Amino acid sequence: LTTATANLSTLGKFKAAVAAAQTSAMGLTRLKDSSSPDEARKALTAFISDFNSMVTSTRTAAADTSGVNTISRGMTRAMTADFSKVSALRQIGFTKASDGSLKLDTAKFEAAFKASPSGVQGTLAKLGQMVDKAASKELASDGRISSSMSALSSNSSLLRLQQSALLKVAQQYASMSSSSPPVSSVPNFYKSGA
């Protein structure tokens, strides 16, 4: 029961991390042509931080919960499915480390923004849309996160019922044992002369 409850809690934290990554991804889609390089960098830095938190929570949740790695890979795949977008992300200083976390070369980002602010903003908007779409799919009521949470919640409820039933049986057994007369006071019908 404790493990099921812990898994449910871990999955809840993972769900929150996916939602935070989605929210900051949407921030990338809201950049305007008048946005400064600083505003764009702050929005991208917030997204990278939230995405990396999701990747970190994936490692924790994956040890406890099935399906989390698949969801995390799907979020990453959303960013890398189209190689032209991957190239555009690299050109603005955006890289993915071997552990799945994201990094930003701020000097490369600032140079790319100075050369083509609308190009950078367009790339960030596309990135935000792709991540939002992937997160929406996973967070939907029929998505994998909700399905996993429902399954864990059902398992936890079932385990609680089983635990309660076992406790009741144990209490009944204990009360029967304490109310039974000691063996020495029970007449022995097998003794001769009894």
Side-chain angles (χ1 to χ4, degrees), residues 36-46 104 106 109-110 124:
S36 70
D38 211 30
E39 291 169 320
R41 185 177 36 77
K42 282 180 185 175
L44 184 54
T45 301
L104 179 65
T106 53
F109 175 80
E110 289 171 8
L124 294 179

Side-chain angles (χ1 to χ4, degrees), residues 26-87:
M26 288 306 299
L28 298 175
T29 66
R30 293 185 195 106
L31 292 170
K32 305 289 181 220
D33 288 338
S34 60
S35 295
S36 70
D38 211 30
E39 291 169 320
R41 185 177 36 77
K42 282 180 185 175
L44 184 54
T45 301
F47 168 71
I48 289 171
S49 175
D50 289 339
F51 191 90
N52 289 346
S53 292
M54 183 198 69
V55 169
T56 300
S57 72
T58 299
R59 288 186 212 114
T60 304
D64 301 327
T65 311
S66 63
V68 170
N69 274 331
T70 303
I71 295 165
S72 183
R73 280 192 307 269
M75 295 286 288
T76 302
R77 206 170 309 135
M79 294 185 304
T80 59
D82 182 340
F83 290 113
S84 65
K85 290 180 182 96
V86 172
S87 176

Side-chain angles (χ1 to χ4, degrees), residues 130-152:
M130 291 183 299
V131 172
D132 175 54
K133 183 178 178 182
S136 292
K137 177 181 173 188
E138 298 302 343
L139 293 169
S141 61
D142 61 345
R144 282 185 277 224
I145 293 175
S146 292
S147 296
S148 293
M149 289 188 83
S150 290
L152 280 172

Side-chain angles (χ1 to χ4, degrees), residues 4 16 24 26 30 73 85 95-96 101 135 138 150 177-179 189:
S24 58
M26 288 306 299
R30 293 185 195 106
R73 280 192 307 269
K85 290 180 182 96
T95 58
K96 185 179 106 180
S101 64
E138 298 302 343
S150 290
S177 295
S178 65
S179 66
F189 294 106

Side-chain angles (χ1 to χ4, degrees), residues 127-194:
L127 171 65
Q129 290 166 351
M130 291 183 299
V131 172
D132 175 54
K133 183 178 178 182
S136 292
K137 177 181 173 188
E138 298 302 343
L139 293 169
S141 61
D142 61 345
R144 282 185 277 224
I145 293 175
S146 292
S147 296
S148 293
M149 289 188 83
S150 290
L152 280 172
S153 183
S154 293
N155 287 345
S156 181
S157 294
L158 180 61
L159 287 171
R160 272 192 205 97
L161 287 172
Q162 290 173 344
Q163 184 181 40
S164 178
L166 283 172
L167 183 60
K168 195 174 195 179
V169 168
Q171 289 170 342
Q172 288 172 347
Y173 180 74
S175 71
M176 285 175 33
S177 295
S178 65
S179 66
S180 297
V183 174
S184 62
S185 66
V186 175
N188 188 346
F189 294 106
Y190 296 106
K191 283 185 180 177
S192 62

